[in-house]
Amino acid sequence: MQRRGLLRRLLAFLALLAGGALPFGISRLLVPIAVADPSHLRPPGALADMRDFTAACIGCGLCAEVCPPRCIEFYTRSGGGAVNTPYIDPRASACILCGKCMEVCPTDALRVIPRQEIDMGIAKIDRDTCYPWLDRGVCGACVTVCPVGNKAINFEFANIYRPVVRDGCVGCGLCVEICPHPALAIHVRPRVA
Amino acid sequence: MLRHLNKLRLATLTLIFAALILLPFLSIYQSYRAAYAYDLLAPTEQRLYDAMEWLTESFTNDPAEDLDAIKGTTWSASIFDLKLSDPLAVVGQIAAGARVYSPFLLSALIPIILTVLLGRFFCGWVCPATLLYEINSALSRWLRALGLRSPTRHFDLRFKYGVLAVGLLLSVATGSIFFAIIYPPAIIGRELYYAIALGGFGAGTVFFALTLLFDLLVARRGFCRYLCPGGALYSLLGRYRLLRIARKVEQCNDCTKCDVVCEFGLLPMRDGFGQECNNCTACMAVCPTDALAFRIALTDLPAQGAGHLGRTHLRHGAAHTPGEN
């Protein structure tokens, strides 16, 4: 008799666990894991490790609400465990490095760090596409728009048209946003250590 | 006086919901201001700009900066540099990251203290989903008038503690904060922002619609009572709350109006409040004899028996009423 009582309590406990897991299962089914778009950047000050970032971000949306250029978007219908976390797509709208999102974030997902320490990625110029590198014209838009300046991007030595990315680049993506080439001759990619 | 508290509560809920709709529009307006872009806007955008300017110009000198004063949702908000977060967000983050980030923990301190003192007040007085759930309950009453079966299924109230425990385990196992995607107030705040500022609802809206259907067809306020992990956390925190609703047995006439009106299916007329009661005061508002009032105590009154103005008490006399001095 005692064993049967124990079994019944165990079954009730398992039913409780299964019932408790049900809403999580349904909501997870609604957000399938999509292939990550390499152009998506995390906002400035984000924890470097993506697992740490997902574990720290509560998905409150404050970073996007204070963003003046409204460049911060969210994975709303996909992303699996990273659903509702913020990203910036510089092809649509890029970060202006104002730092408001770092200040407003209630968690340590975005930390307040000095501008030169921000690491959203590093710009890469596609020399087979960029107009000055192909000698197809004069541009320099990326160099002009860069908020960091000479430490991040300037012109190749002895050439005043061909842009070259330097180590000081913080990956804000303003150069991507402004690039006049239809296929975009510059991209921001994660910095390889 | 106390019977008007329910109106105050509904006004508070409406105000919070309206704020959650207004804030994304203000955010859009701020970005227009920051870009000095009025002349570049489409006519509809200009109308939005004008409306928001009309709303805010008497409070702000520099809208792009000053309107940052109030931001966020009930999940996490920043109000005049005071950061407030939902305790469930903090608990979930601690579980997911296996570490404590103290500034974030502190942002939940005021809500935690209030919950310890007032119980599940968040569920009745703040939660933006509550407004929609109560409208949904009214809808189910109308459907019953049309002849549909009313949602009367009952489950074990302890299910929600299972949801809380499973959510914590899943957060620990996967390293992402699982409560954020099933917790209705977090969903509402976020999805309103997505819909207004990002131009499209996310997956949370589908989940929230499912919970509405569950409430409408299966169990009245079923999600809040049986499944909500936040409700579970606040029930636990508010178990020994100080502010309680209690029945004055001398004034009760056993009319059962309070038992019927209680959205959470509690039984105020039989002194059945417990940790589920969120002090919403709906029962006070319907009581015809003002027999329900607040009481400062750590526990509910034990069952007091039939009300002294009721038929049972009048017929059998005071001898059959326990708790009578």
Side-chain angles (χ1 to χ4, degrees):
Chain A
M1 276 315 277
Q2 216 169 12
R3 185 177 291 174
R4 188 177 293 168
L6 188 71
L7 199 66
R8 187 173 293 163
R9 282 177 67 179
L10 192 69
L11 277 176
F13 181 68
L14 287 178
L16 188 75
L17 281 188
L22 190 68
F24 296 105
I26 292 173
S27 59
R28 184 60 184 263
L29 285 178
L30 295 172
V31 286
I33 297 171
V35 179
D37 187 330
S39 295
H40 289 178
L41 316 172
R42 291 298 187 188
L47 291 173
D49 186 273
M50 273 312 107
R51 291 177 63 90
D52 289 349
F53 182 80
T54 313
C57 174
I58 59 166
C60 63
L62 273 167
C63 48
E65 268 193 64
V66 297
C67 181
R70 284 201 292 141
C71 64
I72 298 180
E73 296 172 67
F74 296 89
Y75 296 107
T76 58
R77 288 168 224 173
S78 64
V83 67
N84 299 319
T85 55
Y87 69 87
I88 295 172
D89 187 347
R91 295 169 300 184
S93 181
C95 173
I96 60 170
L97 300 177
C98 68
K100 280 188 180 182
C101 51
M102 300 192 270
E103 277 163 29
V104 84
C105 181
T107 71
D108 54 345
L110 306 179
R111 295 152 305 144
V112 180
I113 52 174
R115 175 190 272 208
Q116 65 273 15
E117 286 174 26
I118 292 172
D119 183 12
M120 301 161 72
I122 187 164
K124 293 250 185 320
I125 293 167
D126 183 356
R127 294 183 180 179
D128 298 330
T129 312
C130 179
Y131 291 126
W133 276 98
L134 293 176
D135 288 324
R136 301 268 299 280
V138 181
C139 179
C142 47
V143 179
T144 314
V145 81
C146 182
V148 181
N150 258 338
K151 286 182 194 141
I153 190 168
N154 57 10
F155 293 110
E156 197 196 22
F157 180 69
N159 183 305
I160 56 164
Y161 302 126
R162 293 173 175 175
V164 181
V165 178
R166 306 292 179 198
D167 280 341
C169 173
V170 298
C172 67
L174 279 168
C175 47
V176 182
E177 188 187 351
I178 204 159
C179 180
H181 197 287
L184 299 179
I186 191 163
H187 300 279
V188 179
R189 291 288 180 268
R191 198 180 292 261
V192 181
Chain B
M1 213 287 281
L2 286 176
R3 62 173 58 244
H4 297 300
L5 276 176
N6 197 39
K7 290 171 204 155
L8 179 69
R9 182 181 70 95
L10 291 173
T12 313
L13 286 176
T14 313
L15 195 72
I16 290 170
F17 200 88
L20 289 181
I21 293 173
L22 181 64
L23 285 172
F25 282 118
L26 287 179
S27 170
I28 296 173
Y29 168 60
Q30 280 176 276
S31 76
Y32 293 161
R33 288 296 298 225
Y36 298 95
Y38 188 78
D39 295 334
L40 301 172
L41 299 178
T44 49
E45 294 169 330
Q46 283 184 343
R47 273 201 292 281
L48 169 71
Y49 186 107
D50 294 336
M52 292 301 131
E53 187 175 37
W54 177 79
L55 268 179
T56 58
E57 65 186 344
S58 39
F59 308 109
T60 56
N61 295 320
D62 176 11
E65 291 293 328
D66 296 349
L67 290 178
D68 282 342
I70 298 176
K71 282 285 170 203
T73 64
T74 58
W75 188 230
S76 189
S78 164
I79 298 165
F80 296 105
D81 285 335
L82 175 69
K83 285 180 180 173
L84 293 171
S85 298
D86 197 306
L88 188 69
V90 177
V91 170
Q93 202 217 26
I94 290 172
R99 80 213 145 79
V100 178
Y101 179 62
S102 49
F104 187 44
L105 184 65
L106 280 177
S107 71
L109 192 63
I110 295 174
I112 287 174
I113 290 173
L114 286 177
T115 306
V116 168
L117 296 178
L118 304 175
R120 268 182 90 163
F121 82 102
F122 177 88
C123 305
W125 287 78
V126 181
C127 176
T130 293
L131 187 69
L132 299 182
Y133 282 135
E134 292 199 1
I135 293 170
N136 197 40
S137 289
L139 185 67
S140 108
R141 284 195 291 277
W142 296 335
L143 288 180
R144 192 172 55 198
L146 291 176
L148 247 81
R149 207 171 55 84
S150 53
T152 50
R153 289 292 299 272
H154 289 280
F155 302 95
D156 194 329
L157 289 169
R158 287 173 297 183
F159 252 116
K160 59 179 172 296
Y161 303 108
V163 176
L164 181 64
V166 169
L168 287 174
L169 288 176
L170 282 174
S171 298
V172 171
T174 63
S176 77
I177 297 159
F178 258 87
F179 295 123
I181 56 175
I182 70 149
Y183 182 52
I187 292 176
I188 296 285
R190 198 167 58 217
E191 297 289 326
L192 283 173
Y193 179 80
Y194 289 169
I196 295 166
L198 298 185
F201 285 111
T205 304
V206 181
F207 184 80
F208 184 70
L210 289 177
T211 69
L212 285 176
L213 280 178
F214 178 69
D215 285 11
L216 194 64
L217 303 174
V218 183
R220 181 188 186 198
R221 289 303 289 279
F223 192 86
C224 306
R225 292 170 64 197
Y226 305 120
L227 294 171
C228 183
L233 183 65
Y234 307 139
S235 286
L236 291 176
L237 284 175
R239 188 181 175 121
Y240 299 105
R241 66 184 183 278
L242 272 179
L243 189 71
R244 286 162 190 275
I245 298 176
R247 183 172 68 122
K248 290 188 226 157
V249 72
E250 305 82 28
Q251 291 183 37
C252 174
N253 65 355
D254 294 346
C255 70
T256 73
K257 279 186 178 173
C258 48
D259 288 358
V260 173
V261 81
C262 182
E263 288 272 307
F264 276 33
L266 306 176
L267 301 170
M269 203 192 82
R270 272 155 258 179
D271 301 298
F273 295 97
Q275 65 199 43
E276 307 294 329
C277 174
N278 58 33
N279 285 342
C280 81
T281 73
C283 52
M284 291 178 171
V286 295
C287 183
T289 55
D290 288 331
L292 292 156
F294 282 119
R295 176 167 171 266
I296 309 282
L298 286 175
T299 51
D300 287 325
L301 290 172
Q304 303 177 93
H308 291 187
L309 301 181
R311 204 178 291 161
T312 318
H313 181 83
L314 294 178
R315 191 174 297 160
H316 298 292
H320 288 266
T321 311
E324 174 80 304
N325 292 319

